[in-house]
Amino acid sequence: MRLLLVEDEKVLNQQLTRQLSSKGFAVDACFDGEAGLFNALEIDYDIAVIDIGLPKIDGFELVNRIRKEKSWPILLLTARDHWQDKVKGLNSGADDYLAKPFQVEELVARLHALIRRDKGQTNPILEFDGLRINTNLSEVKVHNTAIKLTAFEYKTLEYLIRHPRKIISKTELTEHLYAQDFDRDSNVIEVFVKRLRQKLSPDQHDKYIQTVRGQGYRFAHTNEQHVSNK
Amino acid sequence: MLAINKLSLTRRLIISNLIVVFVVLPLFSFALINTFSAQAELSEQQTMQALSYELLAKLELENGELSDDITLTATEFSLPGSGLYAFVRSGKRILWESSSVLFPTGNINWVTSSAGKEIFTTIDILQQVHFNWQIQVILEQAGVTYPFTVNIIKSNTDYEEQLRKFNTLLWPWLIGISILFAALQCIWVLWFRQPMRDLAHEIEAIEKSKQAQIHGPYPPEISTVNDRLNQLLNNEKLQRERYKNKLADLAHSLKTPLAVMSTHDNMPSEAVDSIEKISAIINHQLKKAQGKASSWHKGCDVKHIVENLIPSLEKLYATKNIQFTETIDSDARFYGEEEDLYELLGNLLENACKACRHKIAVAINNQPALTIVISDDGVGISDAQKAEILQRGHRADTYDSGQGIGLSVVQDIVNTYQGSLTIEGSGALGGATFTVSFNR
């Protein structure tokens, strides 16, 4: 999941980048509203975390301008936990807010909830014919057997599952798995997908992830089940 | 004294006008009548004095006796019973009388006077009041002095008639002037009151946020007050904005470092708890600092704020599919800070969003005073929980994170504006009902 982080406090920005990256997000970090707006309009993100008090363009204005062009969810970080600010932020186009200080776990849980809501998947646990994924815990099971995936393998799987039946090109996958300043190599995607298929279903390679020749990959399984929150 | 000070300007004007009509005008008439009667009396006196001088000029002594041959020019002295009489006396003995005298003179109570002194009095003749002018003179013949008293007596009928005519003319004029004066006063009161009424309307418009300043134009006396009032409004607005910005800066500068600490990779859990506690205290104190009743309440539109909050809450609680039912008086106004009303309604509504299954009812009415009722279809609140919620509002610095902080903020705001918060464990929709009432 590619995430835009706009926070002017240098230390907080660096900590959040590190921690969100460790939770599986590809984070593009910006330190002011102008840089945030440039990135937001150039890159197709999955979600954004924006602080209200930003230099150059404040958080409310930034959300307002992003919302005119983009529909991905936005979470606002606010120092003042006041309803007037919350209403202003939510009315300008944000989808949720989080008051400082906060714990990274809460931020991550909110981000996952927003991404799920955006993709029309309200439940954090998804099941597809024996494949069970807990998006909150980044946990994958096949027929109740836990599968150990690397962070990038999980990211690849989650992105495909978040866009079921949609053909995802290698370029799109690369863009959503890596942050902006990462040295990208699209061949790596082929390696991830190959490993994923082997781990998920060693005998039937195409059971979950199909290759669409010349176009990309597709999570083709239609047997999605929403299960209760356990 | 206090009661007088509390009198409205209109009443003050009416009372002063009534005093003018019922006290000043009659006193003025009384003074006018007195002046006129004094003038009429003086006129009678001067006429009689002139007549007496004519009589004196015609007094002659013949061998120590008064000559009878006296003829006065005024014809009334020759007409019997004309009301104008002349006498020449020596003590009580009448030496000569005009032909107009037909009545017996023996019972007349003559007034005594000294030589050369003129006297103007009244005297009763045949039980009728007459003016009496008299002067005593001393004539001398062959070294012998003879004292005589000359009396000119005139009936007061003419004088009374003059007074009667004057009164007959005066009272209708007086009543007419009073009516005209009262009518003019009414117009004056309306005219005088108009700028005050306009000012009151403008202040009301400011209270209803329909305008930000007093525009006028007004008479100079009121303009001074307006200018000061506008200055006060501006100062207060600037001060509030400055205060708000300072609070925002303070919140930012305190909470961002806390966020840095709490998101640190190796932060021990005890430290995280402390950070949360510090954050809750900062939150609470900032909100308390902000929840300060202002000296000037423009009043904010409650319906508008509810309509702003509900879409935000629908967004935040999108997965619950909450159905809001609103019954709100369109003229409902909260006479306090808009930010406080946002906190009050935002916290109550968010609390209901958390507690409800799918339904929330918001009822706000303005009569007789602002009352906000928010109900949900959740499981309701037990008596023990109610007591805890209400008590927390008084314990300013000991909040724990989690539920209840919002309600304690509500309680603080309600206290600031001298309102009341009541909680019903099981309301109309089956869940809890929170009712907030204000006096104004």
Side-chain angles (χ1 to χ4, degrees):
Chain A
M1 294 289 133
R2 195 155 179 186
L3 181 146
L4 172 67
L5 171 67
V6 194
E7 164 63 61
D8 62 324
E9 169 61 42
K10 208 174 167 187
V11 182
L12 183 60
N13 189 316
Q14 287 166 349
Q15 281 180 189
L16 283 176
T17 304
R18 197 170 53 247
Q19 297 207 15
L20 289 172
S21 299
S22 76
K23 301 284 180 188
F25 290 95
V27 181
D28 287 344
C30 300
F31 293 86
D32 62 61
E34 218 167 72
L37 182 65
F38 178 79
N39 273 28
L41 299 181
E42 286 297 311
I43 299 163
D44 190 21
Y45 287 100
D46 293 295
I47 195 162
V49 176
I50 296 172
D51 184 32
I52 285 179
L54 290 172
K56 297 186 183 171
I57 301 172
D58 75 43
F60 295 125
E61 177 64 20
L62 178 60
V63 171
N64 196 23
R65 283 160 77 169
I66 293 173
R67 195 45 89 226
K68 284 177 186 163
E69 309 261 334
K70 307 285 181 180
S71 62
W72 29 262
I74 299 171
L75 183 142
L76 272 178
L77 291 181
T78 161
R80 285 182 85 198
D81 185 17
H82 288 175
W83 274 100
Q84 223 168 356
D85 289 345
K86 290 176 199 170
V87 168
K88 194 176 171 190
L90 294 166
N91 285 353
S92 66
D95 299 274
D96 200 359
Y97 70 92
L98 190 58
K100 292 177 184 174
F102 52 85
Q103 285 182 283
V104 177
E105 290 72 20
E106 188 179 357
L107 174 65
V108 172
R110 298 257 194 131
L111 293 174
H112 280 307
L114 284 176
I115 292 169
R116 279 202 309 272
R117 208 165 84 190
D118 184 49
K119 311 292 181 204
Q121 299 157 335
T122 52
N123 202 297
I125 296 169
L126 307 167
E127 259 192 54
F128 305 90
D129 191 20
L131 175 65
R132 182 185 166 97
I133 298 147
N134 185 330
T135 53
N136 274 355
L137 303 172
S138 306
E139 195 182 73
V140 181
K141 283 182 180 172
V142 177
H143 300 299
N144 287 328
T145 309
I147 304 290
K148 203 171 176 184
L149 298 179
T150 65
F152 275 100
E153 284 165 4
Y154 177 79
K155 282 188 205 176
T156 310
L157 178 64
E158 192 186 350
Y159 192 80
L160 289 168
I161 288 170
R162 294 282 184 209
H163 304 85
R165 292 177 295 281
K166 184 189 166 195
I167 299 169
I168 312 282
S169 69
K170 283 185 208 167
T171 316
E172 187 181 338
L173 261 177
T174 313
E175 275 177 5
H176 285 270
L177 299 188
Y178 293 105
Q180 200 176 22
D181 49 1
F182 204 87
D183 189 16
R184 300 164 195 187
D185 180 359
S186 63
N187 288 332
V188 178
I189 298 294
E190 287 176 29
V191 179
F192 288 152
V193 172
K194 194 178 168 191
R195 277 198 225 148
L196 256 177
R197 280 172 170 163
Q198 279 178 342
K199 286 183 179 179
L200 295 177
S201 181
D203 303 330
Q204 300 165 274
H205 279 190
D206 284 351
K207 187 176 180 186
Y208 298 110
I209 305 165
Q210 293 176 346
T211 303
V212 182
R213 197 167 291 276
Q215 294 182 61
Y217 303 102
R218 178 168 61 188
F219 188 82
H221 226 282
T222 52
N223 189 23
E224 182 185 341
Q225 288 172 2
H226 291 278
V227 294
S228 60
N229 201 351
K230 290 172 191 169
Chain B
M1 195 63 190
L2 271 176
I4 289 174
N5 287 342
K6 280 182 184 171
L7 271 180
S8 74
L9 290 178
T10 309
R11 285 193 175 181
R12 286 171 196 224
L13 280 170
I14 289 170
I15 289 171
S16 65
N17 294 344
L18 288 176
I19 291 171
V20 168
V21 170
F22 291 103
V23 179
V24 177
L25 281 179
L27 276 176
F28 176 70
S29 311
F30 181 69
L32 208 61
I33 290 167
N34 275 348
T35 310
F36 181 81
S37 67
Q39 186 57 43
E41 214 171 277
L42 184 67
S43 169
E44 292 283 342
Q45 188 181 337
Q46 283 170 345
T47 310
M48 290 162 79
Q49 188 182 23
L51 292 169
S52 71
Y53 289 162
E54 189 194 354
L55 180 57
L56 280 173
K58 288 185 176 169
L59 291 183
E60 275 184 26
L61 285 172
E62 286 175 7
N63 302 321
E65 293 288 324
L66 185 70
S67 161
D68 286 356
D69 188 19
I70 301 171
T71 310
L72 296 171
T73 47
T75 50
E76 286 94 331
F77 285 117
S78 318
L79 290 171
S82 68
L84 185 64
Y85 314 105
F87 295 90
V88 180
R89 297 183 287 117
S90 174
K92 285 193 176 178
R93 189 164 61 89
I94 295 171
L95 304 174
W96 178 88
E97 62 186 25
S98 64
S99 350
S100 55
V101 179
L102 282 179
F103 49 83
T105 55
N107 295 329
I108 296 173
N109 282 326
W110 298 108
V111 181
T112 54
S113 61
S114 50
K117 197 176 176 190
E118 295 173 330
I119 290 179
F120 182 74
T121 57
T122 55
I123 200 166
D124 281 348
I125 294 170
L126 298 174
Q127 293 176 333
Q128 267 200 335
V129 179
H130 285 69
F131 292 118
N132 167 46
W133 172 266
Q134 74 178 49
I135 182 168
Q136 193 182 47
V137 291
I138 295 169
L139 299 182
E140 188 185 332
Q141 195 174 47
V144 182
T145 56
Y146 303 92
F148 298 106
T149 303
V150 168
N151 283 81
I152 304 292
I153 290 172
K154 191 171 186 245
S155 160
N156 75 345
T157 321
D158 286 352
Y159 166 80
E160 291 289 342
E161 181 61 16
Q162 275 188 65
L163 279 189
R164 196 187 58 75
K165 275 187 179 166
F166 180 76
N167 278 339
T168 314
L169 278 174
L170 178 73
W171 286 108
W173 273 103
L174 187 71
I175 291 165
I177 288 169
S178 298
I179 290 168
L180 183 68
F181 186 75
L184 282 173
Q185 292 291 318
C186 288
I187 294 167
W188 182 48
V189 166
L190 292 175
W191 188 45
F192 183 82
R193 219 174 51 167
Q194 195 55 46
M196 299 289 188
R197 285 186 141 195
D198 293 345
L199 183 64
H201 285 147
E202 286 213 60
I203 290 173
E204 199 183 323
I206 290 172
E207 282 189 335
K208 288 184 177 172
S209 299
K210 287 179 183 166
Q211 63 186 66
Q213 291 246 310
I214 294 164
H215 302 302
Y218 288 104
E221 295 85 347
I222 296 177
S223 288
T224 317
V225 179
N226 286 358
D227 293 345
R228 294 282 158 86
L229 212 54
N230 277 336
Q231 209 177 348
L232 186 75
L233 283 172
N234 279 339
N235 284 347
E236 190 142 26
K237 193 179 160 197
L238 286 175
Q239 221 164 1
R240 212 187 311 284
E241 272 165 17
R242 222 168 18 233
Y243 189 64
K244 204 171 152 184
N245 290 340
K246 288 274 172 213
L247 282 181
D249 292 348
L250 187 66
H252 193 76
S253 55
L254 285 173
K255 290 170 94 183
T256 303
L258 282 177
V260 172
M261 287 161 72
S262 67
T263 54
H264 195 275
D265 295 324
N266 303 315
M267 185 59 67
S269 62
E270 312 88 72
V272 172
D273 288 347
S274 300
I275 290 166
E276 275 179 4
K277 212 163 250 179
I278 293 169
S279 170
I281 292 168
I282 293 170
N283 260 347
H284 176 69
Q285 293 301 343
L286 284 176
K287 281 180 183 174
K288 230 177 134 179
Q290 180 191 297
K292 184 173 158 249
S294 157
S295 56
W296 178 264
H297 296 310
K298 276 169 61 177
C300 30
D301 185 351
V302 181
K303 193 171 184 191
H304 172 72
I305 291 174
V306 174
E307 282 170 355
N308 266 346
L309 279 164
I310 286 178
S312 297
L313 287 158
E314 280 172 341
K315 206 174 216 180
L316 292 173
Y317 293 88
T319 50
K320 280 189 100 167
N321 287 323
I322 300 169
Q323 191 190 332
F324 286 90
T325 315
E326 301 154 51
T327 321
I328 306 172
D329 278 0
S330 56
D331 62 342
R333 300 199 76 74
F334 171 69
Y335 290 95
E337 294 299 314
E338 191 178 66
E339 216 157 335
D340 289 342
L341 185 61
Y342 261 106
E343 287 307 303
L344 181 94
L345 288 169
N347 284 315
L348 282 176
L349 285 168
E350 186 171 40
N351 188 60
C353 286
K354 284 176 186 164
C356 76
R357 289 189 179 94
H358 292 296
K359 284 180 186 170
I360 293 175
V362 184
I364 298 174
N365 62 65
N366 212 26
Q367 293 302 329
L370 181 66
T371 307
I372 299 164
V373 184
I374 294 172
S375 323
D376 63 67
D377 65 346
V379 290
I381 292 177
S382 69
D383 287 346
Q385 279 175 309
K386 266 195 280 181
E388 196 190 343
I389 288 166
L390 292 173
Q391 200 189 342
R392 265 192 196 170
H394 298 291
R395 291 164 57 198
D397 298 325
T398 55
Y399 296 112
D400 296 324
S401 59
Q403 280 194 339
I405 298 174
L407 289 175
S408 67
V409 170
V410 169
Q411 177 82 324
D412 279 345
I413 294 170
V414 167
N415 290 343
T416 305
Y417 291 97
Q418 280 124 42
S420 64
L421 168 68
T422 52
I423 306 169
E424 240 182 280
S426 179
L429 292 178
T433 296
F434 286 76
T435 306
V436 178
S437 308
F438 295 97
N439 295 329
R440 186 186 165 188

